[in-house]
Amino acid sequence: MFMEYDPATYSRILTGVTLGFHIIFATLGVGVPLMIALAEWTGMRKNDPHYTLLARRWARGFVVTVAVGVVTGTAIGLQLSLLWPNFMQVAGQTIALPLFLEVFAFFFEAIFLGIYLYTWDRFKSKLKHFLLIIPVIIGASFSAFFITSLNAFMNAPQGFELVDGVIQNIRPLEAMFNPATPTKTAHVIITCYLTAAFVLAMIAAYKLLKGDRNVYHKKALHLTMVSAFIFAIATALIGDFSGKYLAEYQPEKLAAGEWHFETETEAPLVLGGVLNEEGEVEYALEIPYALSILSYGYPGAEVTGLDQFAPEDTPPLIVHYFFDGMIAIGMYLMFISFLYVAFRKFKPAWQYNRWLLWGIVAGGPLSLLAIEFGWMFAEIGRQPWILYGIMRTPEGATTADHVDSMLYMFIGLYTVLGVSASLVLRKMFRNNPVAHELERRGMDKGE
């Protein structure tokens, strides 16, 4: 027996389910093209066919994720109009530019992806084929940029005037390049690269653990883990800028994420813990001065607490766990990738240690989980606003009936899509294993 909610609540749940499912494929859709390009470039530079084969096989799997991402991305576009008509009535004209540019960027990516896939071995110059993947990277990354700038606008709305509920004096570029855009878009794009690197590294590490020790998987592991280490460092740096943005522009979101209840200087960073009946934090790890440093760059800074805001204007305190989970996984990914790089440099015999390989395997699903945590923190942490400081979430939602029926229908659709994509990818690579392809191409497996 399903619980009964109002249309606004069902709209929030359906949008959350759609975003949660779509973001997996969208993340891989942004990150994998860069990894394909790195593999093909390395193969061309070193005249190493193993890296070229990596690019070929990754590109085949990439097409499946793109297909599912297109379907779920279309669903999000439809749901914006169907589930959030009042929001679109107020903000739709202002955010039309990034929505249009996102579609254009996707078309740009799709056209060159088709040409790239069907022109292997058709150019005498390998460089010409490699150049075709560059527009795919640009299209995928700019697609992420434009759609994330829309989310940034929801957190820092500007570029219009609202007079008696009527939107006037629209300035699309100002709306798109709002104060939240730099940190939010940079964080989303770099985490897409990091996640794609770890998902591909997970596959290589798992194959090595299962005894398939040919040089192809070793080279795949090396390329992905070195890339992951670089992306993990960049993620941490951009995450620091994101924390400083929140401290200045959305202090209640940062305070809720850190369970920072009282405004104070030398504020500690609270990790984990639970709230007792009196609303006090128990069983948490506190890092002295860390929240002040994260917020303003020095330990004596005063950090605004939740005591400065009305309870109805603060996010749910559950966002603390999403925030902590995202940061903890990010640190784990940096640590594992650092271990691999350090072992390869100073202890080559340890780079294929079983514990390290299992750690890399765990990094694949954990990186996807961090993406989910990040978006949950971003969206739930903005509540109760759909348009920060201007429109509350229930005000932007539809009042129509049967949103619950749509929810169940889309859950069924996403289940079918998820299972189908998994089966197709599994069958695609199981029926054409690396060993057979290496043999067919006359390449040495290596041990």
Side-chain angles (χ1 to χ4, degrees):
M1 196 69 184
F2 293 105
M3 297 182 66
E4 292 295 330
Y5 295 112
D6 60 280
T9 302
Y10 277 121
S11 295
R12 290 182 64 185
I13 296 172
L14 176 52
T15 304
V17 170
T18 300
L19 285 172
F21 185 76
H22 171 72
I23 199 64
I24 295 172
F25 297 92
T27 297
L28 296 176
V30 174
V32 171
L34 179 60
M35 298 308 303
I36 293 171
L38 289 174
E40 186 170 6
W41 172 256
T42 304
M44 185 173 59
R45 183 173 59 85
K46 294 185 174 183
N47 194 26
D48 189 331
H50 290 101
Y51 286 105
T52 304
L53 182 58
L54 273 174
R56 284 178 181 266
R57 291 176 65 86
W58 287 348
R60 294 172 198 161
F62 173 63
V63 174
V64 177
T65 63
V66 169
V68 179
V70 169
V71 175
T72 52
T74 304
I76 291 174
L78 292 172
Q79 288 174 17
L80 277 175
S81 298
L82 290 173
L83 303 180
W84 307 101
N86 298 329
F87 164 72
M88 291 301 290
Q89 185 177 3
V90 172
Q93 301 174 65
T94 311
I95 61 175
L97 178 61
L99 285 174
F100 167 76
L101 291 175
E102 192 274 336
V103 173
F104 179 80
F106 172 73
F107 285 165
F108 185 72
E109 172 193 359
I111 290 169
F112 279 94
L113 176 60
I115 299 172
Y116 178 81
L117 291 172
Y118 289 102
T119 54
W120 280 103
D121 304 322
R122 294 181 183 269
F123 294 105
K124 291 183 179 179
S125 171
K126 295 180 180 179
L127 178 62
K128 291 180 179 178
H129 182 263
F130 166 77
L131 291 175
L132 292 172
I133 194 65
I134 303 302
V136 179
I137 299 171
I138 294 173
S141 297
F142 270 95
S143 181
F145 174 88
F146 292 130
I147 204 66
T148 306
S149 71
L150 164 59
N151 184 268
F153 168 80
M154 296 168 70
N155 286 274
Q158 63 177 36
F160 68 97
E161 295 176 9
L162 197 61
V163 181
D164 298 326
V166 179
I167 191 168
Q168 299 178 359
N169 191 22
I170 299 170
R171 302 178 299 281
L173 287 177
E174 184 179 329
M176 186 166 69
F177 293 100
N178 57 77
T181 296
T183 55
K184 186 168 282 290
T185 55
H187 189 69
V188 165
I189 292 172
I190 199 66
T191 52
C192 288
Y193 296 159
L194 173 61
T195 301
F198 253 99
V199 168
L200 296 173
M202 171 191 70
I203 298 170
Y206 183 77
K207 289 292 186 180
L208 291 171
L209 280 167
K210 292 301 179 181
D212 192 355
R213 294 254 168 180
N214 68 59
V215 71
Y216 170 90
H217 296 304
K218 293 179 179 179
K219 291 178 179 178
L221 187 67
H222 175 63
L223 178 64
T224 52
M225 289 307 295
V226 172
S227 301
F229 180 57
I230 295 171
F231 298 146
I233 294 174
T235 297
L237 293 174
I238 296 170
D240 179 67
F241 291 129
S242 298
K244 289 174 173 55
Y245 165 82
L246 290 178
E248 181 174 355
Y249 291 95
Q250 290 179 286
E252 71 273 37
K253 183 175 181 178
L254 179 64
E258 284 298 332
W259 282 357
H260 185 60
F261 296 105
E262 297 181 2
T263 302
E264 62 179 331
T265 59
E266 301 178 351
L269 190 70
V270 177
L271 299 176
V274 295
L275 293 176
N276 61 24
E277 294 180 357
E278 289 75 31
E280 298 173 340
V281 181
E282 296 180 340
Y283 312 115
L285 173 65
E286 290 192 2
I287 304 177
Y289 312 112
L291 185 56
S292 291
I293 295 172
L294 172 67
S295 301
Y296 297 103
Y298 62 99
E302 180 179 87
V303 182
T304 304
L306 289 173
D307 59 337
Q308 300 299 308
F309 304 94
E312 63 271 18
D313 293 335
T314 58
L317 295 180
I318 193 174
V319 297
H320 172 71
Y321 295 112
F322 300 137
F323 189 67
D324 279 3
M326 175 183 64
I327 292 176
I329 294 174
M331 297 304 293
Y332 172 83
L333 299 180
M334 181 186 293
F335 176 69
I336 288 293
S337 56
F338 168 76
L339 279 184
Y340 175 85
V341 172
F343 286 167
R344 185 175 176 86
K345 178 71 173 178
F346 302 107
K347 291 284 187 179
W350 293 5
Q351 63 181 310
Y352 304 120
N353 176 279
R354 289 187 64 83
W355 289 107
L356 177 61
L357 292 177
W358 277 119
I360 295 171
V361 170
L366 284 175
S367 64
L368 291 171
L369 186 61
I371 292 289
E372 298 285 4
F373 283 163
W375 276 105
M376 288 179 186
F377 174 69
E379 295 303 300
I380 300 176
R382 191 181 60 249
Q383 301 308 312
W385 307 100
I386 188 172
L387 199 58
Y388 182 68
I390 296 176
M391 176 182 285
R392 292 180 183 269
T393 302
E395 297 170 352
T398 182
T399 57
D401 295 327
H402 308 302
V403 180
D404 55 338
S405 300
M406 289 181 60
L407 171 62
Y408 309 139
M409 180 185 70
F410 274 100
I411 288 175
L413 172 64
Y414 300 146
T415 302
V416 171
L417 285 175
V419 172
S420 299
S422 300
L423 291 175
V424 168
L425 287 169
R426 182 179 177 85
K427 190 174 182 64
M428 178 186 294
F429 292 105
R430 172 169 283 190
N431 291 351
N432 188 29
V434 170
H436 290 175
E437 193 153 2
L438 291 172
E439 185 177 351
R440 185 170 66 249
R441 296 178 182 278
M443 295 162 59
D444 181 24
K445 296 180 182 180
E447 295 297 335

